[in-house]
Amino acid sequence: MTDWPEKMSDKEDGDGHAEVVVKTRPKTQRPPLYKVLMLNDDYTPMEFVVHVLERFFGMNHSQAFEIMLTVHKKGLAVVGVFSHEIAETKVTQVMDFARQHQHPLQCTMERE
């Protein structure tokens, strides 16, 4: 007899030896994230870009203005990081909205 309390998951194998049954769960990986990028062009008004950032990315006016300036000065900026489906939806929404307003604004996504 041992001093150790018997575990409910222990099984006797017939020879007096105990087997411990351990259940393992497979590790689930997080889905990859995608950066949504806005690209600069020489035709889309800055106010329109600010409006798009506020409307589709939930930014306040000062955040949207800062990102717009980054796009303008550097040629592109990351405007958000999302799961694949959400990033794809955001890109489609921005592109459709820009086309409806006859602006050549470009928005794309890439894996982070």
Side-chain angles (χ1 to χ4, degrees), residues 69-88:
L69 285 178
T70 301
V71 172
H72 181 70
K73 291 176 183 175
K74 296 189 175 183
L76 65 95
V78 175
V79 296
V81 179
F82 308 96
S83 68
H84 185 272
E85 292 78 16
I86 294 173
E88 198 170 51

Side-chain angles (χ1 to χ4, degrees), residues 3-4 6 10 23 28 53 58 62 68 75 81 87-88 101 112:
D3 294 337
W4 298 99
E6 207 170 286
D10 290 354
K23 288 186 179 180
T28 54
L53 292 168
S62 62
M68 177 276 298
V81 179
E88 198 170 51
H101 291 86
E112 188 173 46

Side-chain angles (χ1 to χ4, degrees), residues 36 38 49-65 67 79-82 86 90 93-94:
V36 175
M38 193 163 288
V49 175
V50 170
H51 178 69
V52 166
L53 292 168
E54 291 170 343
R55 179 173 178 164
F56 297 107
F57 297 94
M59 295 181 189
N60 64 40
H61 188 74
S62 62
Q63 290 171 322
F65 191 81
I67 296 288
V79 296
V81 179
F82 308 96
I86 294 173
K90 299 264 185 205
Q93 288 173 329
V94 169

Side-chain angles (χ1 to χ4, degrees), residues 23-42:
K23 288 186 179 180
T24 59
R25 287 189 288 171
K27 282 192 174 182
T28 54
Q29 290 185 342
R30 293 195 135 177
L33 296 177
Y34 290 80
K35 298 184 283 191
V36 175
L37 303 158
M38 193 163 288
L39 309 174
N40 188 43
D41 64 72
D42 294 331

